[in-house]
Amino acid sequence: MTDIRLTNTLTRQVEVFEPLVAGQVGVYLCGPTVYDLAHLGNARSAVNFDMLHRLLRHDFGVENVTFVRNITDVDDKIIARSIESGKPIGELTAASTQDYLDDLDALSVLGVTNMPRATEYIAEMIAMIEVLIAKGHAYVASDGNVLFHVPSMPDYGQLSRRSQDDIIAGARVEISASKRDASDFVLWKPKKDDEPASAAFESPWGLGRPGWHIECSAMSKSILGDVFDIHAGGNDLIFPHHENEIAQSRCANESAHMAKTWLHNGMLMVEGQKMSKSLGNFFTVRDLLGQGHRGETLRLALLSGHYRAPLDFTQAKLTEAKNRLDSWYRAWNGATPATDVPAAVLTAVRDDLNTPQAFAEIDTLKGNPAELAAAAQFLGLLNLSPEDWFQGGGSADDLTADAIDALIVERADAKKSKNFGRADEIRDQLTEAGVVLEDSAGGTTWRRG
Ligand SMILES: [Zn+2]
């Protein structure tokens, strides 16, 4: 079997992956903060590391891989959204978690072994903070915050390789008079007067809630142990989040490592620009599915570049992904997949998750439908029957049945409020998409023309 080789951010080297315990692999991937729909950047991280999950399950066996992806369900943004929307925190985070899982399902991301929610591990976080205080790595500040004292760890900063000056500059936004050092960061913060009681937990330091970084240190320790194989996330998490996770875990556990291998995916851009709400190029997974793009098309587009490189997500890339899938579905035509994944495809994925190379290999298998299917399904693609792919509104230009229904409801509402311009506009849009409307006394029915 070819070795799995991975680029370890900690050493900046491509390394042959060897688990700490032979034959057993533990992975921790930082999951979402649940208050809003997942955007394409969130989707990229989930899909890229789903490829790692699939490879590890293939090579080590499903029962030998523990893949943890957490849910952050206590956070400033969650509290703000709860106050703004009038929805209780528990209701907001439960609905948002379900939306996230539905989106991942559409993108054919495998279910994880463990999905710990931060609010279920408060006791473990408190225990870890108490250890850090006892060992002289943390202190209770005069304003009630419990802070990690960065200078207490001489080799802090190895993952991001930042100088002490950079760290202080980066921490400037958080500088408060009560900090012993500008780079110290929060482990536990006291409840503010205007915050709801449901966001606060009892602790030895009074009512309050954990800082974000301590969540992952406590949950990974509980499930995977003091030191585990792989920690993954987006490269925007390297500093401060992952650096601070390492500081907390290593100092509390007195270990040389938190995780042996650190993997980070590159940033996602849209049409050459950073995705942002102000630029109007901010897309959620839901937006693109609603426009009629298939989950598999989005998945292939997200895996079309190497995970470590920045990915420019463009309309052209979506069209390319759709065309490639069309050609694979056509070549496959429903043949029984081969038992083994073709060696060239496995070799590509074992080589630092080189999915672009794996796709190029699949392109060469069009004369061998059984091998093509085995390869594509290993990559989480060709999950539909060819009939469903071609007849179920597979074209990027086609609207999904749900989208058509929604437009028909909107058109009826527009007519009711005498907004005939909008009603006509919707009819034109549907006509252009090949949808024929039939109005009758009983309402509007539709069929594809
Ligand atoms: Zn984390």
Side-chain angles (χ1 to χ4, degrees):
M1 189 171 89
T2 346
D3 288 327
I4 296 176
R5 289 150 30 94
L6 298 168
T7 303
N8 186 354
T9 308
L10 194 60
T11 59
R12 306 298 196 270
Q13 304 284 323
V14 182
E15 297 169 353
V16 172
F17 173 69
E18 274 172 53
L20 294 160
V21 177
Q24 302 275 327
V25 189
V27 182
Y28 187 95
L29 170 63
C30 291
T33 301
V34 282
Y35 67 101
D36 212 343
L37 288 169
H39 58 69
L40 284 178
N42 307 132
R44 182 178 191 200
S45 180
V47 168
N48 279 156
F49 294 117
D50 178 61
M51 233 17 268
L52 173 73
H53 191 188
R54 284 171 187 266
L55 175 65
L56 294 172
R57 282 170 62 143
H58 177 275
D59 284 9
F60 291 89
V62 175
E63 66 285 0
N64 295 316
V65 179
T66 307
F67 196 101
V68 183
R69 189 187 56 230
N70 71 294
I71 294 283
T72 292
D73 58 354
V74 53
D75 183 86
D76 288 352
K77 291 191 214 87
I78 294 173
I79 295 172
R81 181 59 60 88
S82 164
I83 292 170
E84 175 191 308
S85 67
K87 256 192 207 162
I89 286 178
E91 206 177 287
L92 172 70
T93 57
S96 178
T97 301
Q98 193 53 52
D99 284 340
Y100 181 72
L101 294 176
D102 289 346
D103 285 350
L104 294 194
D105 211 34
L107 296 170
S108 308
V109 172
L110 295 176
V112 291
T113 330
N114 300 66
M115 190 179 74
R117 292 171 170 83
T119 51
E120 293 166 349
Y121 286 81
I122 301 290
E124 287 81 354
M125 295 176 207
I126 290 171
M128 189 177 255
I129 296 169
E130 285 184 311
V131 169
L132 288 169
I133 293 173
K135 290 184 177 170
H137 292 291
Y139 60 97
V140 185
S142 56
D143 58 6
N145 282 294
V146 183
L147 299 167
F148 184 93
H149 189 45
V150 170
S152 76
M153 183 189 192
D155 60 352
Y156 177 89
Q158 283 186 333
L159 183 71
S160 58
R161 301 199 180 168
R162 295 202 166 203
S163 70
Q164 190 65 20
D165 287 348
D166 287 345
I167 290 163
I168 290 168
R172 195 163 290 152
V173 280
E174 287 183 59
I175 286 184
S176 87
S178 64
K179 281 186 181 183
R180 284 186 199 161
D181 188 90
S183 56
D184 294 352
F185 60 88
V186 170
L187 299 170
W188 188 268
K189 41 184 145 186
K191 177 185 175 307
K192 296 191 195 100
D193 291 340
D194 57 348
E195 286 172 356
S198 56
F201 302 86
E202 296 280 0
S203 83
W205 318 285
L207 271 181
R209 63 195 151 88
W212 175 35
H213 316 307
I214 195 74
E215 294 179 11
C216 292
S217 285
M219 292 189 283
S220 63
K221 177 185 170 81
S222 295
I223 301 166
L224 297 170
D226 289 358
V227 187
F228 51 93
D229 294 303
I230 300 176
H231 194 315
N235 66 3
D236 54 333
L237 299 185
I238 294 174
F239 185 85
H241 184 54
H242 287 167
E243 200 70 87
N244 291 349
E245 280 187 31
I246 291 173
Q248 296 160 161
S249 294
R250 284 188 47 209
C251 290
N253 302 331
E254 296 187 41
S255 59
H257 290 290
M258 176 186 188
K260 207 172 121 192
T261 305
W262 287 78
L263 304 183
H264 293 98
N265 68 273
M267 197 173 138
L268 182 128
M269 325 265 287
V270 173
E271 305 287 352
Q273 283 181 302
K274 193 177 168 185
M275 188 167 70
S276 84
K277 283 183 177 152
S278 59
L279 285 173
N281 66 350
F282 186 91
F283 290 102
T284 64
V285 174
R286 236 17 103 80
D287 290 335
L288 290 162
L289 294 173
Q291 287 170 17
H293 297 291
R294 284 285 183 63
E296 282 191 28
T297 308
L298 303 184
R299 181 181 176 91
L300 196 149
L302 288 168
L303 292 172
S304 65
H306 192 268
Y307 78 97
R308 298 188 70 245
L311 180 76
D312 192 12
F313 199 89
T314 60
Q315 192 59 51
K317 220 163 241 151
L318 273 174
T319 307
E320 221 171 86
K322 162 68 171 53
N323 292 341
R324 200 170 206 173
L325 281 165
D326 278 351
S327 77
W328 291 357
Y329 269 104
R330 211 169 286 128
W332 170 37
N333 201 25
T336 305
T339 319
D340 294 330
V341 180
V345 171
L346 272 175
T347 302
V349 180
R350 285 179 185 140
D351 182 15
D352 205 15
L353 310 177
N354 192 342
T355 48
Q357 180 60 33
F359 292 161
E361 297 291 347
I362 295 177
D363 284 332
T364 69
L365 294 172
K366 286 181 193 157
N368 190 336
E371 293 222 329
L372 179 138
Q377 289 177 355
F378 170 62
L379 290 152
L381 300 162
L382 300 194
N383 300 307
L384 300 172
S385 70
E387 294 73 40
D388 284 345
W389 176 259
F390 286 113
Q391 290 168 13
S395 159
D397 296 331
D398 282 354
L399 292 164
T400 61
D402 281 352
I404 295 169
D405 288 339
L407 282 168
I408 288 174
V409 170
E410 196 193 335
R411 176 169 168 261
D413 288 346
K415 277 183 169 175
K416 233 178 269 165
S417 54
K418 304 214 180 326
N419 184 354
F420 296 111
R422 177 64 189 142
D424 287 347
E425 214 174 86
I426 292 170
R427 173 177 276 273
D428 291 348
Q429 185 189 344
L430 289 169
T431 306
E432 216 168 281
V435 177
V436 180
L437 297 187
E438 276 152 15
D439 292 320
S440 73
T444 304
T445 56
W446 63 270
R447 62 184 164 81
R448 291 190 199 272

